[in-house]
Amino acid sequence: MSHFTHIKTCFQNLFYLEKALDRLGIPSKQEKKITTPSKSYTVNLVIPQSNGYDIKFSSNGQEYELVADMSFWEQPYPIESFIDKISQQYAGEVIISESQKIGFQPIKYEQNNDGSNTLVLERWNNDN
């Protein structure tokens, strides 16, 4: 009998979540559920696992909750570390994209030995 665990996250933007997973090398795919005539439209993000018990990020209208059957967890690190790694990359993606909207460009993005990331942005002032 499966027991799915729903874990709240801070992931509100599907685009940034997909980019974070991609940067971590975690394959994912979108799962779209469309219901008519009330026009309910849901997009979930699925991380396939070889045992068939996929991990899902499911929108609850506010954020993407992680939904998984913990007894079939196949990832190389515990769930807490998994979410922490994704959160760190997600934050980097948000910072880069939102900074670009106001004229900053990323110069350096690297993972440090201690697990932290270094992100350097620059913006040239064209006002003389």
Side-chain angles (χ1 to χ4, degrees):
M1 183 171 177
S2 295
H3 296 286
F4 288 100
T5 301
H6 293 251
I7 299 173
K8 285 195 164 238
T9 69
C10 60
F11 311 132
Q12 297 176 337
N13 186 299
L14 183 65
F15 176 74
Y16 297 144
L17 179 55
E18 286 180 300
K19 287 188 76 155
L21 292 171
D22 187 52
R23 188 177 288 274
L24 290 167
I26 300 171
S28 64
K29 60 183 178 182
Q30 285 189 8
E31 171 188 79
K32 296 179 182 176
K33 211 187 304 184
I34 303 169
T35 309
T36 54
S38 63
K39 202 172 185 181
S40 170
Y41 187 81
T42 305
V43 177
N44 296 319
L45 201 56
V46 177
I47 299 171
Q49 295 194 121
S50 62
N51 62 9
Y53 292 89
D54 298 340
I55 300 167
K56 186 180 289 188
F57 283 98
S58 180
S59 176
N60 65 11
Q62 300 283 322
E63 68 227 350
Y64 286 88
E65 293 180 326
L66 187 138
V67 180
D69 188 331
M70 300 311 297
S71 56
F72 294 102
W73 185 259
E74 275 193 342
Q75 299 305 305
Y77 21 78
I79 185 74
E80 297 82 14
S81 298
F82 183 76
I83 292 174
D84 287 346
K85 289 177 184 297
I86 296 171
S87 295
Q88 186 177 34
Q89 295 302 322
Y90 181 89
E93 294 301 330
V94 170
I95 291 167
I96 290 171
S97 294
E98 296 301 316
S99 296
Q100 286 178 322
K101 290 177 184 177
I102 57 172
F104 285 90
Q105 294 300 314
I107 301 302
K108 179 171 84 169
Y109 191 104
E110 68 183 18
Q111 178 115 18
N112 302 316
N113 291 336
D114 65 357
S116 66
N117 291 329
T118 298
L119 173 60
V120 178
L121 303 167
E122 76 175 4
R123 180 171 75 173
W124 293 93
N125 186 355
N126 292 331
D127 297 336
N128 291 340

